[in-house]
Amino acid sequence: KRDEQWAAQKAAERETKLSDLKKKKKVIFKRAEQYVKEYVSQEQDLIRMKREARAKGSFYVPAEPKLMVVIRIRGVCDMHPKTRKILQLLRLRQINNAVFLKANKAIMNMLRKVEPYIAYGYPNLKSVKEMIYKRGFGKVNKDRIPLTDNSIIEESLGKHDIICIEDLIHEIFTVGPSFKEANNFLWPFKLSSPKGGFIQKRRHYVEGGDAGNREEKINNLIRMM
C-alpha cells in the first residue's frame, strides 16, 4: 500500500513539473517574440530617421551607445600597479578576457587610464548574442557554470525577472534596470586569440595598431576571436 501511495505522489509531482515547464516555455517563447519585434522596430526607426535627415539635406546623429565591450589584449609585463588594479576592477585578469560595461563618464575615465592594454567599442546585437550563446558562463556560488539550461539563469536572476537566455541578452543589450546584476552573473568571457593575430598591440587603433577605442569596428574583432 505504501508503494502505491509513493507511486501516486511521484506521478502527481511529475505532472505538476511538466505543466509548470509547459507554462514557462510559453512565457519564454512570447518574450523572445516580443524582443525580436523590439529589435526590428529599433532598426527600422534608425533607417527612417536617416532617410528623413537625408531628404532634408542634413545628417542624423544617432544617440550615444549605452553598452561597451572591453577586451584585454596585453599581458602583465611592465605594468604599473595602478593599471593592474583598474584591470582587476574591470574583471579583466587574463589576456583575451572580455566584459560588457555601461558606457558612462566614470567608466570612460577608467578605460582611458588602461587604454594601451585593452581594445574596446560598441557591440551590436549579433556580437552580444554570439558571445553569450557561444562563450557564456554564469557565476553560481562562485563557480564558473556553462549556460546550458534556462534554469541556471532563473535560479540566479529570477528575482530580477530574468528567466531565460533571451531575457539575459535583452537586459545586457538594452542596458536595462538590472544590468548590473545580469552582468555580474556573467563570468568574464574567455576569447581566443584573433584569427590571423593582432597587428600591433602596443600602438593605438588610430595609428594602425590594436589598442584603444574602435567604436563599431569592435564587432569585426569579436568575430575573429
Side-chain angles (χ1 to χ4, degrees), residues 27-195:
V27 171
I28 288 168
F29 193 71
K30 273 218 173 100
R31 282 191 185 185
E33 265 187 343
Q34 181 193 327
Y35 294 149
V36 168
K37 276 182 191 164
E38 194 181 311
Y39 299 141
V40 169
S41 73
Q42 279 176 357
E43 282 284 310
Q44 285 171 345
D45 282 351
L46 187 66
I47 291 165
R48 181 175 54 78
M49 300 268 205
K50 279 184 179 171
R51 279 183 184 156
E52 280 174 11
R54 202 182 301 142
K56 288 173 187 168
S58 63
F59 293 99
Y60 172 69
V61 181
E64 280 286 305
K66 296 183 207 163
L67 180 70
M68 304 178 76
V69 66
V70 184
I71 303 169
R72 179 163 174 177
I73 59 170
R74 274 174 67 183
V76 290
C77 217
D78 303 333
M79 192 183 279
H80 191 277
K82 209 171 208 177
T83 309
R84 186 183 293 131
K85 184 67 189 168
I86 290 172
L87 288 172
Q88 275 177 8
L89 288 173
L90 296 173
R91 304 193 299 164
L92 297 171
R93 289 168 181 271
Q94 291 174 314
I95 195 166
N96 294 338
N97 268 14
V99 290
F100 292 119
L101 291 174
K102 207 183 266 190
N104 57 29
K105 198 181 172 192
I107 292 288
M108 290 307 280
N109 288 342
M110 279 167 89
L111 294 182
R112 283 207 187 96
K113 287 198 169 115
V114 294
E115 210 157 42
Y117 296 89
I118 55 168
Y120 62 99
Y122 311 122
N124 56 21
L125 179 62
K126 187 172 187 245
S127 298
V128 175
K129 267 190 176 173
E130 278 187 359
M131 281 173 80
I132 293 176
Y133 271 119
K134 292 181 180 178
R135 299 286 168 100
F137 283 79
K139 186 160 53 180
V140 182
N141 301 329
K142 297 186 179 177
D143 284 336
R144 183 171 182 258
I145 307 290
L147 301 179
T148 48
D149 193 1
N150 284 331
S151 60
I152 299 165
I153 296 167
E154 191 179 3
E155 269 172 40
S156 300
L157 299 169
K159 54 183 177 286
H160 301 292
D161 200 29
I162 298 170
I163 59 168
C164 63
I165 203 156
E166 283 299 328
D167 284 349
L168 184 62
I169 290 166
H170 182 260
E171 194 65 31
I172 295 286
F173 183 63
T174 57
V175 187
S178 306
F179 174 81
K180 186 182 171 186
E181 290 81 2
N183 200 23
N184 275 345
F185 165 73
L186 281 172
W187 198 277
F189 297 92
K190 296 187 178 188
L191 305 179
S192 312
S193 289
K195 227 182 209 169

Side-chain angles (χ1 to χ4, degrees), residues 13 63 191 215:
E13 277 174 14
L191 305 179
E215 297 184 0

